[in-house]
Amino acid sequence: MPGKAENIVAGLGGIDNIVEIEGCITRLRTEVENPGLIDEAALKAAGAHGVVKMGSAIQVVIGTDADPIAAEIEDMM
């Protein structure tokens, strides 16, 4: 069964869609290739409290485990 980081990657359109990711207190700040691949329902199912889209910059609000999840996703890239 995939973990939270894998589910968030899937909601962000897959590892190849993620250009950059960093943890910022309670958010994952990401830059994606194709914002149209973002699946907000999947991100919320993975534990996101909210999703903020600004063009290709996506913020996933996930709470205090943002930094370790960002590190886990960076390891996948």
Side-chain angles (χ1 to χ4, degrees):
M1 184 166 167
K4 191 169 186 177
E6 288 86 355
N7 291 331
I8 289 171
V9 167
L12 290 171
I15 207 75
D16 292 337
N17 196 42
I18 300 171
V19 177
E20 188 180 328
I21 190 158
E22 66 176 322
C24 183
I25 321 243
T26 59
R27 297 172 180 233
L28 291 176
R29 294 178 186 264
T30 68
E31 183 78 27
V32 296
E33 282 291 328
N34 181 351
L37 295 177
I38 303 303
D39 183 342
E40 284 192 53
L43 289 168
K44 288 185 177 166
H49 304 293
V51 180
V52 181
K53 294 194 226 178
M54 296 160 287
S56 64
I58 312 295
Q59 292 185 12
V60 184
V61 182
I62 57 170
T64 55
D65 54 353
D67 286 323
I69 288 177
E72 204 175 322
I73 293 171
E74 282 176 344
D75 289 345
M76 292 182 220
M77 294 172 74

